[in-house]
Amino acid sequence: MEIAITAPSGNVGRHLVGHLVRAGVRPRLLSRHPERARAGWGDLVDAREVDLRDAAAVTEATRGVDALYLIVPPGEGDDPVAGYAEAGEAVAAAIAANQVPRTVLQSSVGAELRKGAGEIDGLGHVEETLDRLTAAHPGLAVTHLRCGYFYSNLLFELDAIRSGSVAVLLPADQRFSWVAPADIAMVGASLLLRPDWSGRHVRAVHGPRDLSWNDAMAVVGEVLGRTVTVRRVEDDVMRATLAGAGLTEAQVEAIMGMSTGLRDGFVPEQPRTPETTTDTTLGAWAWAELRPALAASG
């Protein structure tokens, strides 16, 4: 079985590679930096240098593939949402050219909105592109994994956590799904290794339970043995802060929308069920990854 993975060194990809290797698959890893994968896995993987926005390169790299796990990285241009759309079109062209039977897209809770959720809108565009592709080619299948908020996003908050106060845009008591990247990889591997599904599917990956920012920082504080509080910041203040850091207007709105678009009555299209609930708790993740990251960063 030939399985390809994009962004194989990322938070989810690195776990997914391990699952596939242990299942006896030599995954094809598509990356702008294949040397990172080779350094960790050697000949157990087939690492190829590919830019996802280069349709010809993606087409060549996915020739003969039975299943593709698609992680679309944010674009490096001034408009992240447009970057997602560009990559989605290039990959869709490759899937069509090679008639790749099954694609698993790593998407996000909120992608169903299609507009108003900032950077998540880019994943919504990719979902729509793949949906059009599978409608035009009935023999091709796609599953969109709408994932909760990654625990690993807290690694961008190391300084704030160390200071004891994290600034957020959502109401501090608003609960939403949080998930470990390793759990997403587990779900992704289960789909990639199964050849018996077809059509278009949406599957949520919600983690073990919904948490508010207050809940999450209470867990983090308990693991770290310190108090970490939550401070809600007004939208205009956050916009000014991001703009002052040199971000373009589109980049600012891409960041803002991931919070502002998922509040004020937003209800995910996929409800939490036993199928969408995964095992790794925030406490377990924080002990294994956040605590060492804080120590390593001083």
Side-chain angles (χ1 to χ4, degrees), residues 99-118:
Q99 291 292 288
V100 176
R102 292 171 290 122
T103 299
V104 179
L105 170 66
Q106 184 175 296
S107 189
S108 173
V109 170
E112 64 266 38
L113 292 174
R114 304 307 196 213
K115 187 175 182 180

Side-chain angles (χ1 to χ4, degrees), residues 18-25 193:
H19 285 309
L20 295 179
V21 167
R22 288 185 288 273
V25 174
L193 291 167

Side-chain angles (χ1 to χ4, degrees), residues 201-256:
H201 305 271
V202 178
R203 179 170 177 177
V205 191
H206 285 149
R209 67 187 182 100
D210 290 357
L211 300 167
S212 68
W213 273 103
N214 280 340
D215 297 331
M217 290 306 99
V219 171
V220 166
E222 183 176 357
V223 168
L224 299 179
R226 67 180 74 178
T227 298
V228 184
T229 61
V230 178
R231 174 172 52 90
R232 187 175 180 187
V233 177
E234 294 299 324
D235 293 357
D236 288 345
V237 172
M238 182 64 79
R239 278 193 180 89
T241 299
L242 294 172
L247 276 64
T248 67
E249 182 178 355
Q251 290 169 337
V252 169
E253 293 309 314
I255 294 172
M256 294 288 298

Side-chain angles (χ1 to χ4, degrees), residues 21 30 45-46 50 68 81 85 96 120 125 139 155 164 175 201 203 218 221 230 241 245 256 274-275 280:
V21 167
L30 314 185
V45 300
D46 175 8
V50 180
L68 169 67
V81 174
I120 296 171
H125 292 325
L155 297 175
R175 289 190 167 91
H201 305 271
R203 179 170 177 177
V230 178
T241 299
M256 294 288 298
E275 185 183 34
T280 304

Side-chain angles (χ1 to χ4, degrees), residues 11-35:
N11 289 312
V12 174
R14 61 191 176 91
H15 294 289
L16 182 55
V17 172
H19 285 309
L20 295 179
V21 167
R22 288 185 288 273
V25 174
R26 185 172 184 254
R28 194 179 300 182
L29 310 185
L30 314 185
S31 171
R32 293 178 64 181
H33 303 285
E35 67 280 358

Side-chain angles (χ1 to χ4, degrees), residues 94-172:
I95 293 170
N98 293 322
Q99 291 292 288
V100 176
R102 292 171 290 122
T103 299
V104 179
L105 170 66
Q106 184 175 296
S107 189
S108 173
V109 170
E112 64 266 38
L113 292 174
R114 304 307 196 213
K115 187 175 182 180
E119 193 169 306
I120 296 171
D121 292 349
L123 290 169
H125 292 325
V126 179
E127 284 193 14
E128 290 181 314
T129 298
L130 294 177
D131 288 347
R132 288 193 297 270
L133 175 66
T134 55
H137 299 268
L140 305 185
V142 64
T143 293
H144 305 308
L145 292 185
R146 292 197 182 143
C147 306
Y149 189 76
F150 285 21
Y151 295 158
S152 55
N153 288 333
L154 294 178
L155 297 175
F156 296 111
E157 302 287 351
L158 294 181
D159 289 341
I161 291 170
R162 188 178 290 109
S163 75
S165 179
V166 175
V168 302
L169 288 167
L170 291 175

